Amino acid sequence: MIGSDKDWLSAIRWDADGLVPAIAQDATSGDILMMAWMNEEALRLTVAENRAIYYSRSRRKLWRKGESSGHVQQLHEIRLDCDADVILLKVTQEGGIACHTGRRSCFYLKLADLRWQPVDPVLKDPEAIYGGGH
Amino acid sequence: MIGSDKDWLSAIRWDADGLVPAIAQDATSGDILMMAWMNEEALRLTVAENRAIYYSRSRRKLWRKGESSGHVQQLHEIRLDCDADVILLKVTQEGGIACHTGRRSCFYLKLADLRWQPVDPVLKDPEAIYGGGH
């Protein structure tokens, strides 16, 4: 039984790199905003600070979502799946934009006619979000 | 630009094992049902057969979701994220049960008081789903 005696962090089945996938879902609309990765520190801090904090595999460091964009994800609820190897965050997305392209969700490419077609609008120019430094 | 010239399958950034995470979301309710993995063949067949087909990392073979439980996921839409390394499936979950524990969603463990607590009901005894062979 998960969580009965074990510490909540050690109950998680981290992968060979010490990471788990974390899905961010809009707590109100149910829309899936993004998927990123967490190490143990990121998950612990997510709970401690009540906001989504990921681990950037490319930058190899913690990524406080919104640190450069202001698009913080306020935490409502955390769930774990039956295999204890995927995290689900229910969040409020500040600014209504989760994606670095300026879209609400990162999943804006839809398969249609066997092509990935962008179907969601850019709500804000990334230059305006990141000041051209992204 | 993703998908403009490239084949839709080769546009995907498969990981070192040739896999991508695939999130299954209920097309009607927006609930997240599960996350599993796909290789190129699984994704190609998912589209060809219009149902979710994953790659089981533990069994090292294709996993036609529902093959033993009958809980097939009928495909409505496929999306890809901005990094081209996560798939989102919008599905109709036959039987209303995605999880091998007999629950609607695999994400039935909620963090409360720093413990993972099961908060969703078992809709059907797994013994009745799998005939005790699971």
Side-chain angles (χ1 to χ4, degrees):
Chain A
M1 179 58 213
I2 290 165
S4 50
D5 296 322
K6 274 175 144 177
D7 173 77
W8 69 284
L9 283 166
S10 60
I12 291 170
R13 289 173 55 202
W14 309 93
D15 72 9
D17 297 318
L19 303 175
V20 284
I23 303 164
Q25 181 179 34
D26 186 292
T28 305
S29 70
D31 290 334
I32 299 182
L33 300 172
M34 56 184 282
M35 197 208 88
W37 296 80
M38 290 185 170
N39 62 8
E40 186 173 307
E41 187 182 11
L43 181 54
R44 186 174 54 74
L45 289 172
T46 292
V47 170
E49 301 185 16
N50 212 43
R51 59 178 283 193
I53 297 174
Y54 303 103
Y55 178 80
S56 169
R57 296 181 302 173
S58 55
R59 287 178 284 157
R60 298 186 183 186
K61 62 173 191 173
L62 289 183
W63 166 32
R64 283 179 158 73
K65 174 68 182 165
E67 63 194 356
S68 53
S69 63
H71 297 152
V72 168
Q73 294 175 336
Q74 298 291 351
L75 185 65
H76 284 250
E77 188 177 308
I78 299 192
R79 293 202 174 208
L80 180 65
D81 77 337
C82 54
D83 293 327
D85 61 2
V86 185
I87 297 282
L88 170 60
L89 310 176
K90 299 193 182 185
V91 303
T92 294
Q93 177 62 63
E94 291 193 6
I97 294 173
C99 187
H100 75 285
T101 65
R103 293 176 174 89
R104 192 170 46 93
S105 163
C106 292
F107 293 93
Y108 64 86
L109 294 162
K110 178 178 168 177
L111 189 66
D113 302 325
L114 296 186
R115 285 184 53 214
W116 297 109
Q117 308 197 12
V119 293
D120 297 330
V122 173
L123 302 177
K124 189 170 179 179
D125 186 335
E127 290 276 322
I129 298 173
Y130 299 99
H134 186 69
Chain B
M1 180 57 213
I2 290 165
S4 52
D5 295 322
K6 274 176 147 177
D7 173 76
W8 69 283
L9 283 167
S10 59
I12 291 171
R13 289 173 54 204
W14 308 93
D15 72 9
D17 297 318
L19 303 175
V20 284
I23 303 163
Q25 181 180 34
D26 187 291
T28 305
S29 70
D31 290 334
I32 299 183
L33 301 172
M34 56 182 282
M35 197 207 88
W37 296 80
M38 288 184 170
N39 62 5
E40 186 173 308
E41 187 183 10
L43 181 53
R44 186 174 55 73
L45 289 173
T46 292
V47 171
E49 300 185 15
N50 212 43
R51 60 178 281 192
I53 297 174
Y54 302 104
Y55 177 81
S56 168
R57 295 181 302 172
S58 56
R59 286 178 284 158
R60 298 186 183 184
K61 62 173 192 172
L62 288 184
W63 166 31
R64 283 179 159 75
K65 173 68 181 163
E67 61 195 356
S68 52
S69 63
H71 297 153
V72 169
Q73 293 175 336
Q74 297 290 351
L75 185 66
H76 283 250
E77 188 176 308
I78 298 192
R79 292 202 175 208
L80 180 66
D81 77 337
C82 55
D83 293 327
D85 60 5
V86 185
I87 297 284
L88 170 60
L89 309 177
K90 300 195 183 184
V91 303
T92 294
Q93 177 62 63
E94 292 193 4
I97 294 173
C99 186
H100 74 285
T101 65
R103 292 176 174 89
R104 191 171 47 94
S105 162
C106 292
F107 293 93
Y108 64 87
L109 294 161
K110 178 178 168 177
L111 189 67
D113 302 326
L114 295 186
R115 285 184 54 213
W116 298 109
Q117 308 197 11
V119 293
D120 296 331
V122 173
L123 302 177
K124 189 170 180 179
D125 186 334
E127 291 276 322
I129 299 173
Y130 298 100
H134 186 68

